[in-house]
């Protein structure tokens, strides 16, 4: 792992693949829910010799997450979300700067996670600290609150294996699942529900969730129920998660990165390339990425951010 890019005044919180590059988002957090910070969008070319393109968000609010519509070559659309209900659509334009479109939102809550199936089928989740969770659904024409969702605390991330299977995680061990058009609140598989920050998977029968406050938590869903995975016992709290091709990549506080091949067994912890807290992780075309910042020093020191990379993306055959 090596540092690909550093930010001196902003966190980097999420990274997604975008045909020929990766998109990292973050920014400066606002001092309160009514005073949003500022968002940063970083387009990082696959060519390591090429400099990243740094863009400001078109509206107030630090950006917490990004999800690309497609990773195929030539694809160039991603959806972003963040503070104060901020939702942004990023679109590549041939021979011109990317189009950054602010999308109307019915909520002022912080949106921590987003998932886009198409420009007309996008889900975003979040909430206000100490308040209820929020689930939004919509697209280019705007968003609406999904009032069919059970009462839940603040929500952090959403993953979907397909339009009929959505998974959402949040505060106090919240495990929310949507099958078809019906939402279900799954029980936490333990006596002490812990904060869950990120959810990711490879199918509707292989989904993982990570988090933890004092120490790492890893949960796995097999299509029937969630189970605790003790393979992360003794590790620091986790926030970054990516799974593909039988591999699981996790990342957390103080630069922790660990990997496992398969759905069970021990993780191999890599040598830390940074002392910053890692919040997002990604594998794409043979390369791996992790992003983060000095999140645990929030309010004490100005924000700093980092993008780590291992390996180089391989062109499609």
């Amino acid at each position: 792992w090596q540092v690909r890019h550093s930010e001196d005044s902003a966190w980097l919180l999420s990274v997604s693949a975008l045909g020929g590059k990766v998109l990292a988002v973050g920014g400066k957090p606002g001092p309160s829910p009514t005073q949003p910070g500022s968002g940063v969008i970083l387009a990082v070319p696959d060519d390591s010799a090429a400099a990243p393109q740094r863009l400001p968000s078109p509206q107030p609010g630090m950006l917490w997450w990004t999800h690309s519509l497609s990773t195929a070559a030539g694809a160039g659309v991603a959806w972003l979300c963040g503070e104060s209900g901020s939702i942004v659509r990023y679109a590549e334009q041939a021979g011109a700067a990317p189009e950054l479109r602010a999308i109307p939102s019915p909520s002022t809550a912080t949106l921590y996670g987003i998932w886009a199936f198409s420009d007309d089928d996008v889900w975003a989740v979040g909430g206000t600290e100490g308040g209820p969770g929020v689930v939004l659904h919509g697209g280019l024409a705007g968003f609406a609150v999904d009032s069919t969702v059970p009462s839940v605390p603040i929500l952090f991330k959403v993953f979907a294996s397909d339009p009929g299977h959505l998974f959402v995680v949040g505060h106090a061990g919240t495990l929310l699942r949507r099958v078809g058009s019906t939402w279900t609140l799954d029980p936490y598989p333990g006596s002490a529900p812990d904060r869950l920050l990120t959810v990711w998977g490879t199918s509707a029968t292989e989904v993982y969730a990570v988090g933890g406050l004092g120490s790492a938590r890893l949960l796995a869903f097999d299509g029937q129920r969630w189970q605790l995975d003790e393979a992360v016992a003794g590790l620091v709290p986790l926030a970054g998660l990516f799974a593909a091709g039988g591999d699981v990549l996790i990342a957390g506080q103080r630069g922790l990165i660990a990997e496992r091949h398969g759905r069970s067994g021990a993780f191999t912890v890599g040598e830390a390339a940074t002392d910053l807290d890692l919040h997002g992780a990604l594998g794409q075309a043979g390369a791996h990425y992790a992003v983060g910042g000095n999140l645990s020093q929030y309010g004490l020191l100005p924000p700093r951010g980092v993008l780590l990379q291992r390996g180089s993306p391989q062109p499609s055959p």
Side-chain angles (χ1 to χ4, degrees), residues 23 41 53 55-56 58 76-78 80 88-94 96-103 119 140:
L23 206 64
I41 301 163
Q53 181 183 23
L55 303 166
V77 174
L80 293 55
V88 176
R89 181 183 182 268
Y90 172 104
E92 299 271 298
Q93 299 187 109
E99 179 195 43
L100 298 175
R101 186 187 304 188
I103 306 298
D119 278 333
L140 283 174

Side-chain angles (χ1 to χ4, degrees), residues 10-286:
W11 294 339
L12 294 177
L13 299 171
S14 176
V15 57
S16 64
L18 195 69
K21 64 184 65 176
V22 296
L23 206 64
V25 304
K28 298 179 181 179
S32 72
T34 59
Q35 296 176 284
S38 57
V40 167
I41 301 163
L42 199 69
V44 184
D46 285 350
D47 180 1
S48 59
Q53 181 183 23
R54 193 176 190 275
L55 303 166
S57 175
Q59 58 186 0
M62 182 178 72
L63 297 168
W64 273 98
W65 212 246
T66 172
H67 183 251
S68 301
L69 283 184
S70 173
T71 62
V77 174
W79 284 77
L80 293 55
C81 67
E83 292 178 326
S84 295
S86 175
I87 301 176
V88 176
R89 181 183 182 268
Y90 172 104
E92 299 271 298
Q93 299 187 109
E99 179 195 43
L100 298 175
R101 186 187 304 188
I103 306 298
S105 170
S107 176
T108 58
T110 297
L111 300 176
Y112 292 101
I114 194 164
W115 193 275
F117 293 107
S118 72
D119 278 333
D120 298 313
D121 189 3
V122 184
W123 294 88
V125 303
T128 303
E129 199 67 38
V134 173
V135 176
L136 307 181
H137 184 233
L140 283 174
F143 284 74
V145 175
D146 187 338
S147 59
T148 68
V149 176
S151 178
V152 291
I154 187 171
L155 301 169
F156 293 123
K157 298 295 179 293
V158 53
F159 161 79
S161 59
D162 57 77
H165 294 87
L166 273 67
F167 300 82
V168 183
V169 298
H171 182 66
T174 298
L175 294 161
L176 191 60
R177 185 161 48 95
R178 188 175 191 263
V179 178
S181 59
T182 302
W183 288 99
T184 301
L185 190 57
D186 289 333
Y188 185 87
S191 58
D194 211 340
R195 179 183 67 178
L196 299 173
L197 289 178
T198 304
V199 58
W200 196 271
T202 63
S203 69
T205 59
E206 185 182 358
V207 184
Y208 303 93
V210 297
L213 287 169
S215 60
R217 292 289 181 271
L218 172 64
L219 279 63
F221 183 77
D222 61 5
Q224 299 296 323
R225 65 186 187 280
W226 289 93
Q227 293 181 298
L228 284 169
D229 188 331
E230 300 297 341
V232 299
L235 298 182
V236 295
L238 303 170
L241 170 65
F242 184 79
D247 295 329
V248 180
L249 175 68
I250 56 176
Q253 292 182 359
R254 301 194 295 275
L256 171 73
I257 298 179
E259 295 174 90
R260 179 174 73 190
H261 182 70
R263 300 179 69 156
S264 61
F267 279 84
T268 300
V269 178
E271 183 178 351
T274 181
D275 61 355
L276 299 179
D277 304 319
L278 297 176
H279 189 266
L282 171 71
Q284 169 64 12

